Amino acid sequence: MSEERKSASLSGAGKLSGGDYARVSISGAGKIAGDLKAEALVISGAGKVEGNVEATQVSVSGGASFAGSVVADEMSVSGAARIGGDAKVKELKCSGTFRVGRSVAAEYVKVSGHIHVGKNLEAEIFKASGGFTIEGLLSADKIEVRLGGKCSAGEIGGEKIEVVRGGFRERGILLDGFVRMFSGSGLAELKAGTIEGDEIVLEETTADVVRGKRIKLGSGCKIASVEYSETLEAHPNAKVEKQTKT
């Protein structure tokens, strides 16, 4: 604890050796060779980390690529970021574009841009008003989606799941158009294999199976099979091929 960690800044084209730092900032085109430990990593230019990152705070407003995994208390992406491995963060905010090669584990996730996860995303709270693609399982105690772009997941599981029209449309048609353009374009909708939870509210959703205690299906839903143990409400425009009370 007596040894003070140094800080480093790359404002032009440069290379930094991995190691233990207080603060690392890249505002030019910088490369970090090896694993990095830091209190803060701030990338506003073009940054590349060739190893793993362990930091208290990671902020990307430019373009960043991480060859390994990232472990952080807080991570914010307002530019474009790509992680080859896993992302393990307490709080993740994405208003830009974010691609994770493997899985994401977090306490709180907020997506207003677009996130693509190669495997699973697990959180306590997941909120989205942009677009997302989760190749595997999206799992959270509370899932709140305001559809603002194309959204998809292999499976979705949680205690309370709410997927409704919204996103940025509340802020105006023009901005909603930009969100759609950068989050996969096309109609704002959700597609999933299986959706399972205690309390489920869905709109504009296409799924193979929806399973839960209390289920409410709004306009635009196309569900192959619904299994419910307590109540089921369906909008006249919702299409349900099969429904079973368990």
Side-chain angles (χ1 to χ4, degrees), residues 109-127:
V109 177
K110 183 178 181 180
V111 180
S112 55
H114 188 273
I115 188 170
H116 184 286
V117 179
K119 290 188 177 179
N120 306 319
L121 188 154
E122 182 179 351
E124 291 180 12
I125 298 173
F126 177 85
K127 293 187 176 184

Side-chain angles (χ1 to χ4, degrees), residues 146-169:
R146 300 289 182 265
L147 290 166
K150 282 193 173 182
C151 302
S152 68
E155 296 178 73
I156 297 176
E159 291 181 9
K160 187 174 182 179
I161 302 169
E162 184 181 61
V163 180
V164 297
R165 293 190 194 89
F168 289 90
R169 269 178 279 186

Side-chain angles (χ1 to χ4, degrees), residues 98-233:
F98 189 26
R99 190 176 188 96
V100 180
R102 296 199 310 216
S103 295
V104 173
E107 292 180 6
Y108 176 83
V109 177
K110 183 178 181 180
V111 180
S112 55
H114 188 273
I115 188 170
H116 184 286
V117 179
K119 290 188 177 179
N120 306 319
L121 188 154
E122 182 179 351
E124 291 180 12
I125 298 173
F126 177 85
K127 293 187 176 184
S129 56
F132 60 83
T133 302
I134 313 297
E135 300 290 352
L137 170 66
L138 166 58
S139 174
D141 293 340
K142 184 179 180 181
I143 296 173
E144 185 179 293
V145 178
R146 300 289 182 265
L147 290 166
K150 282 193 173 182
C151 302
S152 68
E155 296 178 73
I156 297 176
E159 291 181 9
K160 187 174 182 179
I161 302 169
E162 184 181 61
V163 180
V164 297
R165 293 190 194 89
F168 289 90
R169 269 178 279 186
E170 298 167 0
R171 303 186 190 178
I173 297 171
L174 180 61
L175 186 54
D176 182 51
F178 280 116
V179 171
R180 289 187 185 188
M181 183 168 62
F182 289 107
S183 61
S185 72
L187 295 173
E189 61 181 357
L190 170 66
K191 291 186 177 181
T194 300
I195 300 174
E196 186 166 355
D198 292 336
E199 201 169 313
I200 303 173
V201 177
L202 303 175
E203 292 179 359
E204 302 295 342
T205 297
T206 300
D208 296 329
V209 178
V210 174
R211 183 182 296 118
K213 292 180 180 178
R214 296 171 294 279
I215 300 174
K216 185 176 180 180
L217 303 178
S219 179
C221 286
K222 298 177 183 178
I223 314 298
S225 176
V226 175
E227 300 173 16
Y228 65 101
S229 59
E230 293 183 14
T231 60
L232 170 63
E233 294 179 49

